[in-house]
């Protein structure tokens, strides 16, 4: 699993890649929350995510909740097929803003 | 022999006798240096010459730097070693025009170069005949000063010289070839010895269940390729595969050094990235300009079901993930010997190997030719590996070797290949299938209850699913469900202390697969495992929901004696036939 954070002007994109399981989701969670601390709109790019489990979903959910707290937008972009499947299974595919 | 006024019949007899003697010279000629004086003496005697010298051509005849060097001399003045430019003097003229020259009176020839004043030898009359055979110029033979009352050579003398020169040229040609053959034989003997040494360096055949197997087919006597398999502590295995640029002795010597370095450093340096950098540093000192080595070194760890490797400019290793999926890993570092960058560590790649195979091979494999003349290529290699996927590793390697040796042509380049794999115990399963058809243990593994093992669990489950004939998605869904279950054991069962153990068993029971997880944590109460409402987004409950959604049944069963819990997830295998509408 790898995390890359990119800033373009007023927006931040957090690129997540690889398998986000219990071993790696804490890292993803940390990066997403840190990005939201910056009080800018944050997008999580999931194009390269090959695996997502409940802990990975939980990290996305936490980011979503934090975004509401700091009144910033949080969206998912280019959600890969495996990630989308898991989000749908959790019935959260309609909850997140997906670009 | 050419006595003026001699009886022609007698003369012919003596001529034939001389020829017979020269034939003997040819038969016994070992090398030019020894043959030349003898041949020269015969010629001088037959021609009644006071002295004779043999000039041999050094260098290509067409090269302006070529010289004619006197290699043998008979007579009062020894000019052995004297050299003239290939076109110079009478002897040069002879060789250039490939025609015999007769200078009855030297004072009347402009090309005549008088010998050094110190020798004091006066040349009055000379003949020179070229020594050439089928267009190959060897040099020329010069005879000087006819003995007897008349010191001048005449046309008949020249005729005889020409006739004898052809035979003399033949004798020299044979001597030259013999010399070369002996040298070649010597070299060949040395190569054969070197080949034996190299063979001895390759690892022997491995037992069937070993994780690493290798294959080496040398194209010539000595090889610039090598591979090695080195057992380490803890059941791990280090392996290496390398290809040295160039051919022949040079490449073979470098290969031996690389092999030795791997053997000696492989046990001391644990990680492939550091090991490869260390080998590279040592080889840098040896590699001559223009030589380089591509190399892969790695370590297989069966406990973690993983392989780690570093690659210096070598052809990308190929991972057979399952089904028809292959992944290639391009080298992250250049070949050894190209850039002396003195890095302490080369880039390392880590690959999960549970249920998968990793192939590392030299380009002799992919550049090898098939019977129809086409390259095997990576595509062709993949095809062979897929065709023989069900066979053990040795069988797959043999299939590749057979494919490359079918062609009429000899191997162009060495073929070397190793395979590292972590396959499921197929033999055991086959035996069980025979006893109880439809029932088999696909996976049986005890793992530490640590988050790093979750990945291993997923791989094992996916591999087991494939083995049972289920498609990728089906196996991945099951793997997610099992992952969630194992997470719960790690977090809630053992409280995340990382110390416990989980026993995983995946079985095929007729039309379904059951995954059983046994742990030694405190017993869980059944009702706590019910899924929570989805609207409640607290983490934890979601996992249980996934478990139920992705399988057909999740049940706690009576644990074996001494164990804490036994959880079984079962999932019906997909229908093979068409769905009834």
């Amino acid at each position: 699993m790898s995390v890359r954070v990119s800033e373009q002007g007023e927006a931040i994109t957090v690129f997540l890649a690889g398998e986000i399981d219990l071993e790696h989701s804490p890292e993803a969670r940390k990066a997403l929350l840190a990005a939201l601390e910056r009080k800018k709109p944050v997008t999580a790019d999931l194009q390269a995510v090959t695996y997502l489990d409940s802990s990975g979903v939980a990290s996305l959910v936490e980011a979503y909740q934090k975004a509401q707290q700091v009144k910033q937008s949080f969206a998912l972009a280019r959600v890969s097929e495996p990630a989308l499947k898991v989000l749908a299974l959790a019935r959260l595919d309609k909850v997140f803003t997906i670009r | 022999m050419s006595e003026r006024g001699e009886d022609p019949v007698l003369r012919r007899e003596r001529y034939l006798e001389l020829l017979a003697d020269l034939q003997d010279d040819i038969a016994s000629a070992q090398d030019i240096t020894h043959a030349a004086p003898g041949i020269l003496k015969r010629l001088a005697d037959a021609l009644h010459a006071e002295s004779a010298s043999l000039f041999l051509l050094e260098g290509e005849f067409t090269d302006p730097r070529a010289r004619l060097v006197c290699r043998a001399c008979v007579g009062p003045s020894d000019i052995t070693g004297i050299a003239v430019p290939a076109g110079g003097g009478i002897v040069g003229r002879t060789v250039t025009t490939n025609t015999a020259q007769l200078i009855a009176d030297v004072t009347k020839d402009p090309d005549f170069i008088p010998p050094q004043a110190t020798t004091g030898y006066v040349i009055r009359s000379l003949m020179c005949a070229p020594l050439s055979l089928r267009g190959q110029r060897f040099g020329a033979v010069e005879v000087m000063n006819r003995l007897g009352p008349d010191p001048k050579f005449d046309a008949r003398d020249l005729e005889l010289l020409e006739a004898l020169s052809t035979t003399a040229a033949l004798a020299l040609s044979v001597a030259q070839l013999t010399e070369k053959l002996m040298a070649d034989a010597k070299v060949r003997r040395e190569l054969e010895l070197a080949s034996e040494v190299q063979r001895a360096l390759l690892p022997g055949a491995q037992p069937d269940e070993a994780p690493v197997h290798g294959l080496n087919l040398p194209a010539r006597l000595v090889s610039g390729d090598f591979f090695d398999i080195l057992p380490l502590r803890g059941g791990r295995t280090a392996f290496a595969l390398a290809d040295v640029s160039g051919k022949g002795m040079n490449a073979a010597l470098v290969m031996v050094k690389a092999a030795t370095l791997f053997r000696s450093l492989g046990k001391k340096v644990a990680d492939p990235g550091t090991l490869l950098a260390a080998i590279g540093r040592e080889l840098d000192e040896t590699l001559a300009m223009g030589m380089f080595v591509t190399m892969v070194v790695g370590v297989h760890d069966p406990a973690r079901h993983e392989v780690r490797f570093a690659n210096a400019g070598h052809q990308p290793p190929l991972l057979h993930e399952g089904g028809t999926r292959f992944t290639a890993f391009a080298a992250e570092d250049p070949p050894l010997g190209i850039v002396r960058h003195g890095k302490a560590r080369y880039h390392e790649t880590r690959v999960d190997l549970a249920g998968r195979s990793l192939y590392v091979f030299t380009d002799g494999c992919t550049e090898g030719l098939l019977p129809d003349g086409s390259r095997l290529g990576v595509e062709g290699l993949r095809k062979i590996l897929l065709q023989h996927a069900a066979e053990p590793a040795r069988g797959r390697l043999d299939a590749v070797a057979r494919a490359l040796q079918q062609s009429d042509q000899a191997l162009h380049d060495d073929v070397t290949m190793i395979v590292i794999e972590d396959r499921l115990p197929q033999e055991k399963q086959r035996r069980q299938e025979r006893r109880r058809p439809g029932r088999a243990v696909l996976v049986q593994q005890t793992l530490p209850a640590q988050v790093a093992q979750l990945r291993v669990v997923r791989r094992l489950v996916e591999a087991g699913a494939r083995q049972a004939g289920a498609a990728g998605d089906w196996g991945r869904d099951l793997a997610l469900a099992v992952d969630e279950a194992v997470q719960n054991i790690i977090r809630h069962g053992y409280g995340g202390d990382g110390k416990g153990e989980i026993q995983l068993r995946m079985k095929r029971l007729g039309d379904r697969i059951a995954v059983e997880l046994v742990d030694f944590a405190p017993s869980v109460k059944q009702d706590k495992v019910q899924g929570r409402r989805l609207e409640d987004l607290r983490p934890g409950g979601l996992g249980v929901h996934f478990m139920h959604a992705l399988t057909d049944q999740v049940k706690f069963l009576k644990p074996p004696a001494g164990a804490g819990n036994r959880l079984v997830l079962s999932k019906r295998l997909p229908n093979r036939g068409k769905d009834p509408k």
Side-chain angles (χ1 to χ4, degrees):
Chain A
M1 210 287 288
S2 71
V3 180
R4 184 167 61 86
V5 180
S6 156
E7 240 180 279
Q8 292 124 330
E10 277 310 300
I12 301 180
T13 307
V14 178
F15 292 88
L16 299 172
E19 303 183 337
I20 307 183
D21 62 358
L22 186 59
E23 187 185 6
H24 298 294
S25 56
E27 202 184 322
R29 174 183 170 276
K30 212 162 102 169
L32 290 169
L33 296 180
L36 284 161
E37 285 286 335
R38 315 265 308 280
K39 309 266 193 317
K40 289 184 182 176
V42 173
T43 303
D45 184 306
L46 307 180
Q47 189 191 45
V49 171
T50 54
Y51 180 81
L52 188 66
D53 72 347
S54 63
S55 71
V57 171
S59 309
L60 295 174
V61 167
E62 246 191 276
Y64 175 86
Q65 291 170 328
K66 166 115 192 173
Q68 292 185 321
Q69 211 182 67
V70 300
K71 294 192 186 25
Q72 281 299 333
S73 77
F74 175 68
L76 307 179
R78 307 196 295 175
V79 181
S80 68
E81 208 191 292
L84 189 59
K85 195 168 159 187
V86 169
L87 287 171
L89 201 60
R91 301 225 300 264
L92 292 170
D93 50 329
K94 302 287 186 282
V95 169
F96 288 99
T97 307
I98 298 184
R99 291 200 229 282
Chain B
M1 187 171 149
S2 47
E3 288 295 345
R4 304 259 154 80
E6 193 184 6
D7 182 320
V9 172
L10 203 57
R11 185 188 183 162
R12 200 173 307 125
E13 266 183 31
R14 296 238 228 151
Y15 176 62
L16 290 173
E17 214 177 272
L18 179 57
L19 277 182
D21 288 336
L22 279 172
Q23 307 282 12
D24 280 342
D25 284 346
I26 293 171
S28 62
Q30 293 271 317
D31 61 77
I32 297 180
T33 325
H34 288 107
I39 293 169
L40 207 56
K41 181 116 197 347
R42 283 205 203 287
L43 285 176
D45 285 347
L47 296 161
H48 290 267
E50 186 181 41
S51 63
S53 30
L54 175 71
F55 283 83
L56 288 182
L57 185 65
E58 280 183 6
E60 274 306 310
F61 165 66
T62 45
D63 188 339
R65 293 168 301 175
R67 307 178 317 161
L68 285 160
V69 183
C70 180
R71 282 280 172 235
C73 195
V74 299
S77 170
D78 185 4
I79 53 166
T80 316
I82 280 186
V84 303
I90 293 169
V91 67
R93 192 167 77 199
T94 307
V95 171
T96 311
T97 58
N98 204 33
T99 333
Q101 314 275 319
L102 165 64
I103 296 105
D105 186 343
V106 300
T107 56
K108 301 211 172 76
D109 189 310
D111 271 336
F112 180 64
I113 299 167
Q116 317 236 337
T118 46
T119 64
Y121 185 64
V122 180
I123 300 175
R124 289 179 292 275
S125 182
L126 82 87
M127 297 192 289
C128 191
L131 293 166
S132 67
L133 201 61
R134 285 194 293 269
Q136 190 187 358
R137 290 164 159 79
F138 289 98
V141 61
E142 207 173 40
V143 298
M144 292 154 278
N145 295 350
R146 202 180 194 289
L147 294 163
D150 186 353
K152 294 204 282 280
F153 293 111
D154 64 17
R156 275 200 314 208
D157 291 327
L158 190 63
E159 249 176 54
L160 184 57
L161 177 59
E162 277 183 291
L164 295 173
S165 301
T166 312
T167 315
L170 191 58
L172 285 170
S173 173
V174 169
Q176 202 179 58
L177 280 171
T178 309
E179 211 169 48
K180 187 164 186 305
L181 268 173
M182 300 245 308
D184 280 355
K186 192 153 169 269
V187 170
R188 194 178 169 83
R189 267 201 302 281
E190 284 171 351
L191 282 177
E192 277 165 7
L193 272 173
S195 174
E196 273 177 39
V197 169
Q198 277 197 315
R199 286 266 117 209
L201 285 172
L202 290 176
Q206 308 286 303
D208 281 348
E209 354 36 281
V212 188
H213 293 264
L215 161 80
N216 172 260
L217 303 171
R220 274 158 282 279
L221 273 178
V222 288
S223 173
D225 283 3
F226 90 93
F227 76 92
D228 201 359
I229 301 170
L230 191 64
L232 302 173
R233 278 183 329 205
R236 295 173 309 138
T237 310
F239 58 88
L241 183 141
D243 186 349
V244 180
S245 68
K247 308 193 196 305
M249 273 315 253
N250 241 3
L253 290 171
V254 172
M255 175 239 122
V256 168
K257 177 151 188 187
T260 318
L261 282 168
F262 172 73
R263 276 258 147 187
S264 58
L265 295 171
K267 293 218 190 223
K268 301 186 203 138
V269 181
D271 67 272
T274 312
L275 175 58
L276 191 53
I279 293 175
R281 270 197 306 277
E282 293 293 321
L283 274 182
D284 270 353
E285 321 225 332
T286 317
L287 291 173
M289 277 311 285
M291 287 192 83
F292 60 90
V293 181
T294 65
M295 189 165 180
V296 174
V297 303
V299 175
H300 169 249
D301 189 340
R304 293 182 194 201
H305 297 279
E306 75 176 18
V307 64
R308 282 157 42 224
F309 60 89
N311 181 349
H314 194 80
Q315 175 143 20
L318 206 59
L319 175 71
H320 186 192
E321 297 182 51
T324 52
R325 283 200 327 276
F326 283 87
T327 303
F329 295 90
E332 306 261 356
D333 288 287
L336 308 177
I338 297 262
V339 172
R340 279 138 171 78
H341 50 44
K343 265 186 357 184
R345 210 162 175 270
Y346 278 35
H347 184 268
E348 224 174 76
T349 305
R350 203 193 49 74
V351 169
D352 293 322
L353 206 60
R356 297 149 141 196
S357 313
L358 181 70
Y359 298 91
V360 190
F361 42 91
T362 57
D363 58 13
C365 231
T366 43
E367 293 304 313
L369 296 175
L370 295 171
D372 67 4
S374 63
R375 268 175 76 246
L376 178 67
V378 179
E379 261 316 304
L381 183 63
R382 283 210 279 241
K383 260 210 276 220
I384 297 175
L385 295 174
L386 283 175
Q387 262 173 351
H388 299 265
E391 291 177 41
R394 258 267 75 79
R396 274 170 271 139
L397 290 175
D398 288 342
V400 173
R402 276 196 311 273
L404 289 170
Q405 290 178 303
Q406 266 173 13
S407 158
D408 274 337
Q409 302 188 36
L411 285 176
H412 171 66
D413 205 352
D414 306 321
V415 171
T416 309
M417 184 162 176
I418 56 175
V419 52
I420 308 102
E421 63 185 20
D422 209 311
R423 287 269 182 114
L424 299 175
Q426 297 210 357
E427 266 312 299
K428 194 170 158 191
Q429 184 206 338
R430 275 201 278 274
R431 265 181 268 132
Q432 284 175 339
E433 288 271 338
R434 282 197 287 274
R435 269 189 267 124
R436 294 149 93 209
R439 299 171 87 82
V441 173
L442 300 163
V443 181
Q444 187 155 301
Q445 190 76 35
T446 300
L447 307 141
Q450 292 163 356
V451 293
Q453 296 297 311
L454 290 168
R455 177 184 56 232
V456 178
V457 167
R458 296 197 294 274
R459 297 284 176 270
L460 290 170
V461 170
E462 284 177 49
R466 275 198 304 273
Q467 197 134 314
D473 272 350
W474 190 95
R476 283 191 281 276
D477 287 348
L478 180 58
L480 174 53
V482 175
D483 182 333
E484 299 289 350
V486 173
Q487 281 183 44
N488 284 351
I489 299 174
I490 292 173
R491 278 202 292 196
H492 307 300
Y494 289 117
D497 66 7
K499 293 211 192 79
E501 251 178 21
I502 301 175
Q503 286 172 359
L504 169 79
R505 209 142 84 116
M506 183 168 172
K507 293 188 284 198
R508 180 187 178 144
L509 303 163
D511 68 346
R512 48 189 187 94
I513 298 278
V515 179
E516 181 187 275
L517 297 164
V518 172
D519 67 48
F520 300 84
S523 180
V524 166
K525 286 275 192 299
Q526 183 81 8
D527 54 21
K528 284 217 181 118
V529 192
Q530 294 303 319
R532 294 177 214 186
R533 291 174 317 152
L534 211 52
E535 285 65 36
D536 182 343
L537 293 176
R538 266 196 309 233
L542 192 56
V544 175
H545 166 68
F546 282 178
M547 280 160 63
H548 286 282
L550 296 167
T551 61
D552 294 306
Q553 195 178 64
V554 180
K555 229 158 64 156
F556 275 104
L557 296 182
K558 185 159 186 273
N565 300 280
R566 166 148 74 171
L567 180 68
V568 180
L569 299 106
S570 57
K571 188 171 169 77
R572 210 162 307 126
L573 282 164
N575 265 333
R576 300 303 184 92
K578 280 206 197 130
D579 272 335
K581 282 287 184 224

